[in-house]
Amino acid sequence: MSKKTVESTEAFKDAVGETRLESIKPLDTVRYDAVETEPFMETYMQDDIGLHAQTAEFSNPSYIDEIRAEQPKVEIVLSRQEDLLKNNPTDLTYQRAEQTLEQYKGTVFEYQLKDALGDKFQSVEVNQQLVETEWGATKPDVVLRGSLEDIKIGDLDIMKGEDLSIEAKCGSPEYIRSEMGHMLRQVEGHHGNSLVVVTKDYLDLSPNIRSNFEHMLADKGSHIYVADVKSTDMSTGLFSSLKL
């Protein structure tokens, strides 16, 4: 095996390894339907920077192509799937490619958030950094440094010069609910402004579940924002973007 092939293989493993679905974890024991309160629906998808309209394009294959062109790791993963699916692939090969893309769409979602918000901040952290919390070390999905102006995302007001940390989740309602305990732990590692961004599947959860989760986030100083895209549309867009 050539040195170039080895490097490509290792990069592919690194890229996909960052995104293994965490849904295999047992459900958190916290009850999200324990208290009847109202969710923050009026601010779920509101902002003053055009983010809502941008997230509606996240499943567009053309936009995914733009992310691919800018991010070498995305290029490695998607080109590998293209290679697998050429020359009369078997059903098993298709299933494996679909599984890889299903696992990887959350990472693409993170890259898209960085791209959509990057021009609103002085810088975007390229690599995830370990942050120590009482639960152990964690890595914020997206960290943006130095807002260029006062902005509002959901019910979160970010002042000029301030930072923003984001925990991102792209998945079914069941997946998002199973990750609520994990998200509550992750925001412990957010410095500065804290935001959880989820796909529109979140709205399919009951108002009571959403409300109690949001109040738990608020207790930790974090906020919720719902992207205008479904996880199934992300899956379809990602597969459709392949050059087959």
Side-chain angles (χ1 to χ4, degrees), residues 77 85 93 139-140 193 197:
V77 173
L85 295 176
T93 301
K139 291 182 179 181
N193 296 289
V197 181

Side-chain angles (χ1 to χ4, degrees), residues 206-224:
S206 75
N208 210 36
I209 290 173
R210 286 186 273 122
S211 175
N212 283 281
F213 173 61
E214 289 154 25
H215 282 81
M216 289 180 187
L217 278 179
D219 286 344
K220 294 178 178 291
S222 192
H223 305 258
I224 190 84

Side-chain angles (χ1 to χ4, degrees), residues 48 150-159 162 193 223:
D48 60 5
D150 294 351
I151 61 177
K152 188 177 185 68
I153 305 176
D155 64 348
L156 172 61
D157 291 301
I158 303 166
M159 300 296 105
E162 292 182 345
N193 296 289
H223 305 258

Side-chain angles (χ1 to χ4, degrees), residues 74-136:
V74 177
E75 167 61 28
I76 289 170
V77 173
L78 298 190
S79 62
R80 179 62 63 87
Q81 305 320 302
E82 290 168 345
D83 291 341
L84 288 174
L85 295 176
K86 291 176 180 176
N87 303 318
N88 299 316
T90 64
D91 289 344
L92 180 59
T93 301
Y94 261 106
Q95 291 173 6
R96 287 175 175 170
E98 288 178 343
Q99 182 180 34
T100 296
L101 294 178
E102 190 68 18
Q103 292 174 337
Y104 198 61
K105 67 183 179 183
T107 294
V108 174
F109 186 62
E110 292 171 18
Y111 280 125
Q112 290 173 324
L113 288 172
K114 291 178 182 180
D115 181 71
L117 291 167
D119 64 350
K120 308 300 181 186
F121 290 80
Q122 293 176 5
S123 64
V124 181
E125 288 196 356
V126 177
N127 299 313
Q128 292 175 310
Q129 303 295 322
L130 277 175
V131 178
E132 292 294 334
T133 73
E134 65 175 299
W135 306 100

